[in-house]
């Protein structure tokens, strides 16, 4: 089976490329390298943008792919609030052009990297797929609009899609060759590990007055290897004739910011310093997803816990202190 991995030079996409090619899939990669890294991809890479229809038509003419896994998106909630139109242009318009090109090429199966940001604020955790969607950020809104396009494209053109909604992805491939390298880095686990490496003096803890047991925000962390396993299962499900579905991905366990820092101290053996800082605007106190549906339908269960997530991320950070420039 030949699969186009769009956004395959990014953090999650590059893990998808590596793991799928190791499993024997024929993969082709597309990326505009705006945030992705050429060094993260060993397989065939087409450098271009999904908003460029001529580029996509040419790619689909050259490569007879059976399906697409779509990771192309700008994904920072804070930036999405400052540059909403840029997010709509990149994420929503980009997906529109991709779907148009797929339709013309007769490629009708797509696994889509969505986000639990489509749900917005909810009191009751864990979040299940039937919760109302009410995004509180432009980023979440773009992901919801991307899902909606697929829904209507299914009705008119017979697309089949699997949309995976997830929160906090971390960790790295256990062989340590690829990992998370965002610039600027905003995510907690890489920031904590940068502090362990001495690249930051301390970790700023954004708020300790939330209504949680230790006052810091609770999030649901998934190992990137588990996440890619879910994408592969979703792809196989569609290829076997499965109906379009939306799945949440979570570990069922949430960890607070302080618990993550403490776990990182244990894994690295380094006394990582922390300082309490003001809350970051837009951060809900607790986000935990239910994975009951994907476990029932696709048999997916996360295999890695928080210690393994940090251990594998640490292996990449230690060997790549300057990311892919190391
Ligand atoms: N966080 C923090 N300090 C940092 C980065 C993040 O306290 O330097 C907190 C953030 O407020 C949130 C959690 O860590 O509660 C996870 O944040 P991240 O940006 O990794 O992911 P998000 O939950 O925003 O998708």
């Amino acid at each position: 089976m030949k699969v186009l991995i769009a956004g395959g030079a990014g953090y999650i996409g590059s893990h998808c490329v590596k793991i799928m090619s190791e499993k024997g899939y024929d993969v082709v990669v597309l990326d505009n390298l705006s945030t992705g890294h050429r060094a993260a991809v060993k397989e065939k890479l087409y450098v271009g943008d999904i908003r460029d229809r001529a580029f996509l038509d040419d790619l689909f003419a050259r490569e007879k792919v059976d399906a697409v896994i779509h990771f192309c998106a700008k994904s920072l909630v804070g930036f999405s609030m400052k540059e909403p139109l840029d997010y709509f242009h990149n994420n929503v318009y980009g997906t529109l052009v991709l779907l148009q090109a797929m339709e013309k090429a007769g490629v009708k199966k797509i696994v889509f990297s969505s986000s639990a940001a489509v749900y917005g604020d909810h009191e009751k955790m864990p979040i299940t797929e039937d919760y109302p969607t009410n995004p509180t950020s432009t980023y979440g809104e773009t992901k919801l609009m991307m899902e909606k396009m697929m829904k209507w494209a299914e009705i008119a053109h017979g697309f089949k899609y699997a949309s995976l909604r997830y929160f906090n992805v971390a960790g790295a491939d256990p062989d340590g060759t690829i990992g998370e390298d965002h610039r600027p880095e905003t995510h907690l686990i890489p920031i904590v590990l940068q502090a362990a490496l001495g690249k930051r003096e301390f970790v700023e803890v954004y708020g300790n007055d939330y209504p949680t047991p230790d006052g810091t925000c609770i999030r649901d962390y998934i190992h990137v290897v588990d996440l890619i396993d879910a994408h592969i299962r979703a792809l196989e499900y569609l290829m076997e004739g499965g109906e379009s579905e939306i799945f949440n991905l979570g570990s069922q366990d949430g960890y607070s910011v302080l618990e993550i820092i403490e776990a990182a101290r244990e894994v690295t053996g380094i006394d990582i310093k922390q300082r309490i800082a003001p809350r970051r605007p837009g951060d809900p106190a607790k986000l935990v997803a239910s994975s009951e549906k994907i476990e029932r339908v696709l048999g997916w269960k996360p295999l890695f816990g928080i210690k393994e997530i940090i251990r594998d991320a640490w292996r990449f950070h230690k060997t790549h202190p300057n990311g892919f420039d190391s």
Side-chain angles (χ1 to χ4, degrees), residues 168 186-188 191 204-206 217 219 221 257 280 283:
N168 300 70
T186 62
H187 294 109
L188 180 65
I191 282 177
E204 284 191 308
V205 176
Y206 297 148
C217 289
R219 294 287 179 276
Y221 295 86
V257 176
R280 186 172 68 175
D283 271 342

Side-chain angles (χ1 to χ4, degrees), residues 237-256:
Y237 161 85
L238 290 181
M239 297 311 289
E240 284 161 17
E243 288 302 321
S244 296
E245 281 291 356
I246 290 172
F247 297 107
N248 284 353
L249 292 178
S251 65
Q252 322 274 11
D253 291 321
Y255 291 91
S256 73

Side-chain angles (χ1 to χ4, degrees), residues 290-303:
S290 164
S291 295
E292 186 276 325
K293 180 177 171 185
I294 191 166
E295 187 176 342
R296 181 167 38 81
V297 180
L298 301 185
W300 179 83
K301 246 186 152 153
L303 299 179

Side-chain angles (χ1 to χ4, degrees), residues 91-108:
N91 296 2
V92 180
Y93 176 63
T95 300
L96 171 65
V97 178
L98 176 64
L99 292 175
Q100 285 175 325
M102 287 174 66
E103 204 271 320
K104 183 176 166 228
V107 180
K108 302 280 182 77

Side-chain angles (χ1 to χ4, degrees), residues 39-67:
V41 181
K42 300 274 178 295
E43 284 65 22
K44 192 168 185 185
L45 171 67
Y46 286 85
V47 178
D49 197 295
I50 54 169
R51 290 166 292 189
D52 180 346
R53 178 65 192 270
F55 163 72
L56 287 180
D57 285 346
D58 180 60
L59 195 163
F60 282 117
R62 285 167 194 263
E63 306 282 351
K64 297 280 169 233
V65 303
D66 302 291

